[in-house]
Amino acid sequence: MTVDHQVSPWFTRNTAPPAHERVVERICARAAPEGTPIHVTDLPLGGVQIWIDGDGDRWSLYHRMAHQLRLAGWHTETGTDRLLVLGWSADCLAHRVRVLHAALAGRLADFDLTSFTAVSIATRLCQEGLPAERIVPEVEARIREELRWPGRLADLDGLQRTASLEPLRLRLAQVAGLEATVRQRCGEHLSLAGRVATTVTGGQAPPRIGLARLTTGLSERMVAASVPNRPPGFLLDSVPAIPADSYAATA
């Protein structure tokens, strides 16, 4: 396993920049019970250490945190009293590439499911009497949580990823490119969810932005069947038909 212990200004003898410490803290917070204080400081010879207060089952919590950090591409070492992050791992970065590819070919390729979920949520909220102006933000928030990747990528905001080893630099560049594609695809799903929710509540959907991979068909029929007084092709004017093989070309 290749590990780079000098991956950025963060992993040097200098003090870890606060932005990078916050990235680690945000990732660890996802694995910890809500409200758990998480301490992150730099190590004298490079890397950072994480620890939590209290006498509970810290060992299990450190292992859950380490799992999330490895998913981001870091090499970690877990002890009974602290968790160490020591640099980029070639194996962990390769796994992240596989996970990102799987997301793009799996859930993030299924716009019909996003349409169905948005229709279901918006219809239920309408029946519950939620004001129309609150339905669209609520639908988008629930779709964002269901997709999971918007939150995962938001945790990395402010992180500068470099490496001293050429193979790791190339792998980091590959990860960054895939993350950008995932972020764009998530934006397309959220835009679609907002348009669908707006239509369900009887509002005027805004112009389509960045939905190049969205095909017509099931999504439009599903929404039309769920919204009164909407012809079956009401989305066709705003969403151009895309050949089915375009998915394969962009996978």
Side-chain angles (χ1 to χ4, degrees), residues 1-91:
M1 177 180 66
T2 303
V3 177
D4 187 353
H5 297 281
Q6 300 291 331
V7 298
S8 72
W10 180 17
F11 292 113
T12 65
R13 295 176 182 272
N14 298 327
T15 301
H20 294 101
E21 291 186 1
R22 287 195 294 270
V23 169
V24 172
E25 185 175 354
R26 286 195 296 264
I27 293 175
C28 290
R30 285 187 173 271
E34 186 175 356
T36 302
I38 298 173
H39 307 282
V40 182
T41 63
D42 63 309
L43 294 169
L45 299 180
V48 297
Q49 60 181 338
I50 304 106
W51 76 95
I52 59 176
D53 299 325
D55 299 323
D57 189 7
R58 292 186 294 173
W59 187 84
S60 296
L61 183 54
Y62 288 151
H63 274 275
R64 290 200 298 271
M65 292 177 177
H67 176 69
Q68 295 301 319
L69 291 166
R70 288 196 298 271
L71 287 177
W74 284 304
H75 172 73
T76 65
E77 294 185 7
T78 308
T80 57
D81 60 341
R82 62 179 178 170
L83 170 64
L84 304 181
V85 182
L86 300 177
W88 297 117
S89 162
D91 290 342

Side-chain angles (χ1 to χ4, degrees), residues 223-243:
V223 176
S226 305
V227 182
N229 301 321
R230 295 287 179 177
F234 78 97
L235 287 180
L236 297 181
D237 292 338
S238 58
V239 182
I242 302 296

